[in-house]
Amino acid sequence: MAQLLCEDLTLGYDNGAILEGLSFSVEKGDYLAIVGENGSGKSTLMKTILGLLKPLKGEVVFGDGLKKYEVGYLPQQTVVQKDFPASVWEVVLSGCLSKERFFPFYTKADKARAMFNIDRLGLASLKERSYRELSGGQQQRVLLARALCATEKVLLLDEPVSGLDPVVTAEMYDIIDSLNRSGITIIMISHDVQAAVKYADKILHVGKTPFFGTVGEYLATDKGMAYLAEKKARKEDE
C-alpha cells in the first residue's frame, strides 16, 4: 500500500473550494514535486497532509506503516523564525518532541538521534552557535536536521530553497536528493519547475486541472511543453 493516498480531494475553506478532484499517491522512496501557480492551493494541500486542515471532500490515507506524526516537516522560513533565540543543538533536538508520546523530556536515544542528524547535515562545528547568527543556508540545514529527528520515512518540504543564493540552493537540492537516495520519501512543494523536473520522479501540478504522473508524462502535457519551450527560449537568449 502507498505511504500516502489522496482520493478525490476537494480542498478549501468555509468560503469555498480551492482545489477539486485531486487524486494522487506517494510510494515509499518517491520524490514527488508539487508545483503550481501562486494561489493554486499548494499551501492548502500541505496543511491537509499535515492534518491541520480537513478536506471538504475525499480523504487522506496513511499506509505502509506510516503514522501521521511520522511526516517530518520543513516549513518556509519567516522573519520570526530566522531570529529564533536558541542554539543549533536546541533547535535540532526539539524535532524529537514531534513524536507521539506522553513524556515531555529528551531520552538518550533522542540526543543520539539529534547528534546523528547534526553530523549528517555537516553542522557539528555549529552545534553551540546561536541559530539567529547563522546564514540562511545554514539555518535551512538546521531545520532540515530538526525535521529528520521526527522521521526517517517521509519529509514534507515547503519551498526549501526560498531566499537562498544559487550556490546554496544547489547544495540544498543535492542534500535533499541524497536523503531521497538513502530511502526517505520526499514531498517537495516548489515554484521551481526546473528543479522539479531535474530531481523528482513524480510531479503533481495543482490548479484548475490537476496533473499527477511521472516527469516524462508531465513533460508531454501542455504545461510541460510550455516549460520546455520557455527553457529553450532562455538558452537562445544567453
Side-chain angles (χ1 to χ4, degrees), residues 2-22:
Q3 285 184 319
L4 179 68
L5 179 64
C6 297
E7 295 185 301
D8 195 24
L9 290 180
T10 296
L11 307 179
Y13 304 89
D14 292 337
N15 58 348
I18 296 175
L19 278 171
E20 296 183 273
L22 185 62

Side-chain angles (χ1 to χ4, degrees), residues 74-131:
L74 176 65
Q76 282 194 58
Q77 281 247 56
T78 65
V79 174
V80 173
Q81 287 172 325
K82 287 178 180 292
D83 200 38
F84 192 67
S87 70
V88 168
W89 169 250
E90 291 169 328
V91 173
V92 175
L93 184 60
S94 68
C96 296
L97 288 180
S98 65
K99 297 175 183 177
E100 193 172 80
R101 62 190 189 187
F102 300 104
F103 47 93
F105 54 86
Y106 299 112
T107 65
K108 288 183 179 179
D110 289 335
K111 294 175 182 178
R113 185 174 184 81
M115 196 63 237
F116 171 77
N117 286 310
I118 283 174
D119 287 335
R120 190 183 202 177
L121 272 294
L123 298 165
S125 64
L126 304 175
K127 178 184 172 186
E128 304 303 329
R129 286 274 301 277
S130 172
Y131 175 80

